[in-house]
Amino acid sequence: LDDVMGPLDLPADRPIVRFNQIAASALKEPGVHAVVGVEGSGAAWIAKALLLQGARHVVFVAADGDGARRARADLEGLSEAWPLDAEWCQNTLPRGKPLLYQTVEANPYANLHPDRRLTLARAATLFELADDAPWSFCVIPAFALARRVVPKDILRAGGMHLRREDEIDLEALSNQLTEAGYLRVPVVEDPGTFAVRGGV
């Protein structure tokens, strides 16, 4: 970055530690590592560096839901190639978009009706994890770690893979959608619903 910004004027007792050095150190010595002074999208850069240094997956735990959404946006941007000289910054991460696991930031016993889109997004993320789909990053707010989730076997049983031009059994598919929690309606207007119109 010196070519763009000029040399950084830091005190002599504050050496520059690069993101890839932090990642290499963390992977070399397993355990809890505290990195102080990382701001903005710095944590996302470290997450990318961990992957490029050989980590199989990176789970990014954010402080809250807003932080998780910002982290996912940062990771999504950093998953593309960047026009920087350092080779480790130019590598792309082709294993899909970062997963985001969101949940309602409220007492689970409160008399609230959860947002259906949020519920579907959460189920989609859990299914991708249970189905062993390829992924690089999974972002989750800290409070969501304390919530119980549906077992993997149930998620796998409720999922299905449909491909264009495949012939399907319409009745069997309708039954499977119903068992997975979809609502059969005359006209599809909301997420989580399906309609059967003739052979469609």
Side-chain angles (χ1 to χ4, degrees):
L1 294 174
D2 287 353
D3 296 338
V4 179
M5 301 172 59
L8 298 175
D9 185 19
L10 290 176
D13 62 337
R14 299 280 301 277
I16 295 175
V17 180
R18 301 184 186 282
F19 295 130
N20 57 340
Q21 293 172 321
I22 295 170
S25 175
L27 292 172
K28 184 178 179 182
E29 301 174 17
V32 177
H33 298 267
V35 180
V36 179
V38 177
E39 297 180 3
S41 60
W45 278 104
I46 293 174
K48 177 174 181 176
L50 282 166
L51 220 62
L52 295 176
Q53 291 286 336
R56 189 162 172 236
H57 302 295
V58 175
V59 177
F60 190 117
V61 181
D64 54 27
D66 289 338
R69 286 185 287 275
R70 286 193 301 272
R72 184 191 187 212
D74 287 343
L75 290 168
E76 195 167 355
L78 293 176
S79 294
E80 303 298 328
W82 278 63
L84 300 177
D85 291 336
E87 182 181 347
W88 73 277
C89 291
Q90 293 178 345
N91 293 331
T92 58
L93 306 171
R95 289 180 275 177
K97 292 185 176 182
L99 300 176
L100 176 62
Y101 181 80
Q102 285 278 53
T103 188
V104 178
E105 297 185 47
N107 183 327
Y109 302 105
N111 190 16
L112 296 173
H113 293 286
D115 178 80
R116 186 179 288 178
R117 285 181 173 83
L118 180 64
T119 302
L120 290 171
R122 183 168 63 249
T125 298
L126 288 173
F127 177 75
E128 286 197 56
L129 294 171
D131 198 42
D132 296 326
W135 59 277
S136 299
F137 303 110
C138 182
V139 183
I140 182 170
F143 62 84
L145 293 172
R147 300 286 174 90
R148 299 186 71 178
V149 297
V150 178
K152 277 174 101 173
D153 294 343
I154 294 175
L155 284 166
R156 283 179 176 157
M160 64 196 78
H161 296 278
L162 300 175
R163 294 176 183 83
R164 186 178 297 180
E165 306 298 333
D166 278 359
E167 290 188 17
I168 59 173
D169 183 329
L170 194 59
E171 185 175 349
L173 178 61
S174 299
N175 291 337
Q176 192 170 357
L177 287 170
T178 301
E179 289 175 7
Y182 282 78
L183 299 175
R184 184 169 178 170
V185 295
V187 178
V188 172
E189 296 178 318
D190 299 309
T193 60
F194 76 98
V196 178
R197 311 292 293 271
V200 180

